[in-house]
Amino acid sequence: MRLCPGGPLLVRGADVVRDEAGVAHAVTRPVVAVCACGKTGRPPWCDGTHKVVRRG
Amino acid sequence: MNLPEPRGPLSAAVIASLRGGTPPEAVAVDEQVPVLSDEDAQLALWVLFELHFRGFDDVAGDREWDPALLRLRGNLEARMEAELREATRPALHAAPDSGDLAEDLFALVAADHGPSLASYLHRHATREQVLEFLAQRSVYALKESDAHSFVLGRLDGPVKAALAEIQYDEYGGGRPERLHSTLYADALRAAGLDDTYGAYLPQAHVETLAANNAQAVFGLRRRLRGAAMGLMAAFEATSSLPCRRIAAGIERVGLPAATAAYFHEHVEADAVHEQVAVRDVCAGLVAREPRLRADVLFGVAASLHLDALVGGRMLARWGAAPQVADGRRSA
């Protein structure tokens, strides 16, 4: 697991990611990017919105 | 696929040579005409590169390594590389050098203000314009990521592992029905378009061909492995936000969910890939081979430049005003 500065949390080797409400989301990629800015439109996954937030 | 129709004397000579099994006829080349905006030269390059990808049903397999064709291609590649280096010089001159390459690469991408095709597709494009965009994009998307796979054997250690991770995801993570090129074929079919490999090559704009060819110019040449990875990283780093807009545009004009699905997949996939590509592949590569830094930046700038040409051509064709730069790239 690794936090990208200003970006998402990269998670490798997980089967499931649980969001803050405890809902389980199946992992279907070798590595996933979990939103760390709280602004994503596709929680819990990063959708690149942090770039707009950071710039704005 | 079969060989396409030529678009000028050079592509005619290449295609005739491939069809007839004969050496290519010498063609007088006007070196004053940039290769980047010469559709005859770009089609000739596309056809020659295609020998290394799916090939043509009407060409003998060994022509892939025909010395006369390779010489001809090498000349076009050298000119295209020189033109791209010249075109990207101002952007690279202004590029940041903070000591943190990942941040520098993201900053170089963020500083780009090329025309935003995605914003136009999102808000304004007609159904016919969206279909035209999908057809143009198919020239690349039906062989999505394949040029980058040639680089794998030239890398080592964590950099190789990182690129393999991206490619494994591009190739469906072990599920053939999730291959991104297959998702794109599904998207085309759902939109009523032809999903045959190369179906829209005859309509491909010179800018579309050039952007596609650049991946092979960099990807097939070991010397340019840094540029290849910079190009790949910029492609990934300008994809998530634009793909969300394109998906919304596809839904706005009433095309089926299967067409939008490809772009929705790229919102999520490329938010991952951009981090891995910039941090683990590009920064990782330069950490091992510091002299490749300039070429990685060149690859990023070349991708932004080519993307601006692709988007600018389509927006101009549609009579659209340049859109406010957002997350840039078409996808």
Side-chain angles (χ1 to χ4, degrees):
Chain A
M1 218 184 295
R2 182 166 51 124
L3 183 64
C4 302
L9 186 68
L10 286 187
V11 181
R12 289 185 164 87
D15 293 324
V16 164
V17 167
R18 275 182 206 286
D19 62 25
E20 285 175 1
V23 179
H25 299 266
V27 169
T28 58
R29 303 176 189 286
V31 53
V32 287
V34 176
C35 172
C37 75
K39 306 287 191 211
T40 182
R42 309 167 65 96
W45 314 121
C46 171
D47 69 353
T49 301
H50 59 269
K51 291 193 236 179
V52 183
V53 175
R54 190 168 49 166
R55 223 183 299 157
Chain B
M1 73 182 289
N2 285 328
L3 287 164
E5 288 299 313
R7 298 198 197 177
L10 190 58
S11 54
V14 166
I15 289 164
S17 163
L18 289 171
R19 185 172 285 132
T22 51
E25 273 182 39
V27 173
V29 174
D30 181 0
E31 303 224 349
Q32 299 305 310
V33 179
V35 168
L36 275 175
S37 54
D38 180 346
E39 66 174 339
D40 182 29
Q42 288 299 335
L43 181 65
L45 261 180
W46 198 93
V47 166
L48 289 168
F49 281 134
E50 190 56 26
L51 300 174
H52 297 286
F53 291 93
R54 309 291 195 279
F56 299 94
D57 297 336
D58 47 353
V59 176
D62 275 350
R63 299 305 299 287
E64 180 184 357
W65 298 107
D66 182 311
L69 292 173
L70 291 177
R71 197 160 42 243
L72 194 159
R73 198 189 84 199
N75 179 37
L76 291 171
E77 287 179 86
R79 290 173 59 204
M80 186 155 154
E81 182 189 345
E83 287 170 25
L84 284 171
R85 288 197 185 272
E86 186 60 33
T88 54
R89 202 180 304 277
L92 291 175
H93 186 71
D97 186 2
S98 67
D100 181 335
L101 182 63
E103 290 309 311
D104 291 350
L105 295 184
F106 280 123
L108 186 56
V109 170
D112 178 64
H113 294 292
S116 175
L117 192 54
S119 291
Y120 183 81
L121 292 167
H122 182 191
R123 301 266 181 220
H124 309 295
T126 63
R127 185 186 170 100
E128 287 63 38
Q129 289 169 342
V130 172
L131 292 173
E132 194 182 322
F133 160 77
L134 292 170
Q136 283 292 318
R137 197 182 153 82
S138 70
V139 175
Y140 158 72
L142 292 176
K143 62 202 273 195
E144 185 163 336
S145 301
D146 286 343
H148 311 317
S149 291
F150 284 111
V151 184
L152 272 170
R154 296 165 182 163
L155 305 175
D156 215 343
V159 183
K160 185 197 282 280
L163 178 59
E165 197 170 61
I166 293 172
Q167 296 303 85
Y168 187 60
D169 203 29
E170 294 281 353
Y171 292 153
R175 294 164 296 162
E177 71 280 7
R178 297 292 296 171
L179 272 162
H180 283 183
S181 53
T182 301
L183 292 181
Y184 202 78
D186 295 343
L188 288 171
R189 262 196 327 278
L193 294 167
D194 190 345
D195 68 342
T196 310
Y197 188 86
Y200 295 104
L201 182 63
Q203 285 90 46
H205 301 150
V206 62
E207 296 84 357
T208 299
L209 293 174
N212 197 192
N213 285 335
Q215 299 193 341
V217 169
F218 295 168
L220 286 173
R221 199 169 284 263
R222 181 181 176 278
R223 172 176 62 81
L224 292 174
R225 61 198 181 284
M229 293 297 91
L231 189 95
M232 184 271 296
F235 203 88
E236 301 288 359
T238 50
S239 177
S240 275
L241 296 171
C243 277
R244 191 169 57 182
R245 292 190 176 93
I246 294 166
I250 286 169
E251 286 159 359
R252 178 180 56 77
V253 301
L255 288 168
T259 303
Y262 168 90
F263 294 93
H264 282 305
E265 156 65 12
H266 282 73
V267 173
E268 206 176 289
D270 292 346
V272 182
H273 296 174
E274 67 175 341
Q275 299 297 337
V276 177
V278 167
R279 296 175 194 284
D280 299 334
V281 177
C282 289
L285 180 61
V286 173
R288 292 169 73 96
E289 298 186 83
R291 64 190 177 82
L292 292 182
R293 182 179 184 278
D295 267 3
V296 168
L297 285 162
F298 165 53
V300 170
S303 176
L304 298 172
H305 177 71
L306 290 160
D307 189 52
L309 295 179
V310 169
R313 169 70 180 257
M314 263 185 273
L315 291 172
R317 182 176 145 70
W318 297 333
Q323 302 293 301
V324 176
D326 52 359
R328 291 148 307 275
R329 172 179 306 273
S330 53

